[in-house]
Amino acid sequence: MYIVPISSAITPLDILSQNETAAADKNKTASPSFADVFREVITDVTETQQVVNEDSARLVMGEIDDLHTIYNNLTKAEIAVETFVAVKDACQQSYDQIMQMSM
């Protein structure tokens, strides 16, 4: 009768902990910081507003015949502003809650 050693099927604990640490470091670098998210939202608002301003100037000059594109750009700008306001409101609420905490 041949007995298969079980040591080959068991992973040592130190290797498992190293894998978990590496996975945690990978997840930590993959998640953006709050400043990055806020900066991205502000950049999106600025860019969509610039596109809308260009579209409105070109519409006044008679250079645009496609109103559908203008409407789509206006909708994108509106969504960007609504997202910015929602993020700003969430930040304000979080700040207010932190300030109300007793030490």
Side-chain angles (χ1 to χ4, degrees):
M1 178 166 126
Y2 179 73
I3 299 176
V4 179
I6 61 171
S7 62
S8 63
I10 298 176
T11 306
L13 290 177
D14 59 342
I15 293 175
L16 287 176
S17 64
Q18 289 174 358
N19 291 342
E20 289 174 1
T21 305
D25 290 341
K26 184 179 178 182
N27 288 339
K28 192 180 295 183
T29 58
S31 63
S33 68
F34 172 75
D36 293 338
V37 172
F38 204 69
R39 191 175 301 117
E40 183 179 335
V41 169
I42 291 174
T43 302
D44 192 32
V45 168
T46 305
E47 289 174 355
T48 56
Q49 190 61 41
Q50 288 174 351
V51 169
V52 168
N53 289 342
E54 291 172 6
D55 283 350
S56 60
R58 289 175 36 203
L59 181 65
V60 169
M61 300 293 263
E63 298 174 1
I64 294 181
D65 293 332
D66 185 20
L67 294 179
H68 183 70
T69 303
I70 294 173
Y71 180 76
N72 285 341
N73 291 338
L74 282 170
T75 304
K76 287 178 188 177
E78 181 182 3
I79 291 171
V81 170
E82 288 175 359
T83 303
F84 173 74
V85 170
V87 169
K88 188 260 320 168
D89 288 344
C91 293
Q92 183 67 43
Q93 290 173 355
S94 299
Y95 177 79
D96 291 341
Q97 288 178 355
I98 290 171
M99 295 309 292
Q100 291 176 358
M101 288 182 182
S102 62
M103 299 227 179

